[in-house]
Amino acid sequence: MSNTQVLDWFTDISKIPRVSGNEKAISDRLFHWAQAHGYQVIQDTAFNLVIRKGAPSVALQAHMDMVGEKDTSSQHDFLSDPILPVQEGDILRAEGTTLGADNGIGLAMGLSLLEDKDVDHLELLLTTGEETGLTGANTFSPGILQSDQLINLDGESEGVFLASCAGGINANISLSLGETKEEEGWLLKISGLQGGHSGLEIHKHRGNALKWLGYILGGEALRIGSLHGDGKFNAISREADICFCGGNPETIEARISLLQQEYQDAEPELSIEFTKIPACTLLSEDTSQNILGLLSELPSGVHSMSASIDGLVESSSNLGVATMKPGELTDRKSTRLNSSH
């Protein structure tokens, strides 16, 4: 297996849209590829795949889906458009979107090993829906596997083996919004944050746009209209905006200035807009304060670090999504508990 072979596979994989919940195309593509090359292959109803070469004793696992996150300015459609990797020196990235290296690179490594003429016996388990709750793995029948050992390729560091256990829970919080009325108001918009994976980057203390809305407006006497934070529950919120009426503009501007000063190095692309708008459909003051309370008080970030392993986040949570539709607000957050050896 060579680096070139792995990167070639990764490039091919990236051409096939495979955001979580849309894995049929990549699963079918690999199913037919395996058949054409004479490998044993099984595809189940969740589009999980087992591809087998010889009589294996070791299985390698990777997941086919990826997180679909993009810049507001991007026109990319994760259901139909390919990811086009861009190479800059030793770095691969995507233009305006997530790259899908989690777990596309593990997928590419497994397929490259399968093709290696020096590897006679190998089994690949390729699952779906990992990013949204291990849905493929939860439906998979383990008796299908012939191997008695399994190595997962979804790690963070090349050449490092982990024996680990991690647990988590996703929480959906809904709030009834009640009646509205329309008035002149303000628009507060945060964009340009780095964001990142709620597991891999949570310890880097990057800005969370939803939490920052709560910080900037917390404690102010105001009424909220629209709120948009349509990211991913397992990604740190990069962009969010809110429409409101009331509050003290001087206090709000002072808090914005403090954030800009504090994060000028950590978040170099940060943009915070605070502008007047002619019309904003407003909720009641009580409901507005409940929403601000959620944004302000819901824990988000690192809660504790391991006492035995240096640098390991033991528990964390992430407020990733807040969406409003007629009559209802929904927040989504992800909480993680980790233990590794």
Side-chain angles (χ1 to χ4, degrees):
M1 180 184 73
S2 67
N3 289 341
T4 299
Q5 188 179 18
V6 172
L7 291 176
D8 285 346
W9 260 115
F10 181 74
T11 301
D12 286 345
I13 290 165
S14 299
K15 295 175 183 176
I16 305 171
R18 54 189 178 87
V19 71
S20 300
N22 189 47
E23 301 99 322
K24 184 179 186 303
I26 182 67
S27 180
D28 287 348
R29 160 82 165 80
L30 296 178
F31 178 83
H32 294 304
W33 171 84
Q35 280 189 326
H37 286 77
Y39 302 122
Q40 303 172 57
V41 58
I42 300 168
Q43 183 186 58
D44 67 14
T45 56
F47 303 114
N48 297 308
L49 291 176
V50 173
I51 306 175
R52 190 176 297 131
K53 181 181 184 181
S57 60
V58 176
L60 301 179
Q61 182 189 0
H63 63 86
M64 292 180 277
D65 63 313
M66 63 172 282
V67 173
E69 180 75 351
K70 63 181 181 179
D71 295 337
T72 302
S73 59
S74 173
Q75 300 300 309
H76 185 91
D77 185 344
F78 284 103
L79 297 180
S80 59
D81 297 340
I83 300 292
L84 303 176
V86 177
Q87 185 165 357
E88 295 179 347
D90 293 335
I91 301 297
L92 276 182
R93 63 173 183 84
E95 196 67 54
T97 71
T98 42
L99 177 61
D102 176 11
N103 186 228
I105 199 66
L107 190 56
M109 291 174 68
L111 293 165
S112 297
L113 279 170
L114 195 70
E115 286 189 309
D116 194 317
K117 59 182 177 59
D118 294 325
V119 178
D120 297 323
H121 305 284
L122 185 65
E123 194 168 36
L124 298 185
L125 169 58
L126 310 178
T127 59
T128 57
E130 190 272 351
E131 298 290 357
T132 52
L134 306 173
T135 54
N138 285 333
T139 63
F140 180 72
S141 299
I144 293 174
L145 292 176
Q146 292 184 355
S147 303
D148 55 13
Q149 298 181 72
L150 184 144
I151 300 173
N152 187 288
L153 299 178
D154 199 9
E156 302 170 26
S157 302
E158 187 175 6
V160 175
F161 286 83
L162 299 175
S164 64
C165 174
I169 186 171
N170 301 326
N172 293 332
I173 303 169
S174 296
L175 180 67
S176 177
L177 298 181
E179 298 181 357
T180 63
K181 71 174 185 176
E182 191 170 288
E183 292 183 13
E184 182 184 54
W186 296 91
L187 178 66
L188 175 61
K189 180 177 181 179
I190 299 173
S191 61
L193 295 175
Q194 295 184 70
H197 193 283
S198 64
L200 302 183
E201 276 90 28
I202 198 71
H203 64 291
K204 297 179 180 179
H205 304 291
R206 293 176 177 174
N208 181 308
L210 287 169
K211 291 296 294 180
W212 281 10
L213 290 181
Y215 164 73
I216 293 171
L217 300 180
E220 291 294 295
L222 49 79
R223 300 180 66 181
I224 289 174
S226 62
L227 169 63
H228 300 105
D230 307 333
K232 297 290 185 297
F233 75 95
N234 56 354
I236 300 168
S237 176
R238 300 171 59 241
E239 301 177 350
D241 62 75
I242 192 169
C243 161
F244 64 94
C245 177
N248 185 332
E250 292 182 358
T251 301
I252 292 169
E253 289 173 346
R255 291 173 180 172
I256 290 172
S257 180
L258 282 174
L259 282 175
Q260 290 171 326
Q261 292 175 32
E262 182 177 353
Y263 284 86
Q264 60 183 338
D265 295 326
E267 297 286 0
E269 303 299 321
L270 168 63
S271 172
I272 304 180
E273 303 172 36
F274 180 42
T275 55
K276 268 281 189 184
I277 55 175
C280 182
T281 302
L282 301 170
L283 304 169
S284 70
E285 187 170 341
D286 286 345
T287 300
S288 298
Q289 292 306 313
N290 287 338
I291 294 171
L292 286 180
L294 282 174
L295 295 180
S296 300
E297 302 302 328
L298 282 175
S300 191
V302 175
H303 302 320
S304 63
M305 301 294 291
S306 171
S308 56
I309 302 176
D310 187 41
L312 175 68
V313 177
E314 187 170 73
S315 62
S316 65
S317 63
N318 175 62
L319 177 58
V321 180
T323 56
M324 287 178 66
K325 60 183 181 180
E328 184 180 39
L329 167 79
T330 299
D331 284 344
R332 296 194 69 194
K333 67 192 302 287
S334 173
T335 299
R336 297 172 181 268
L337 297 171
N338 295 318
S339 175
S340 300
H341 304 283

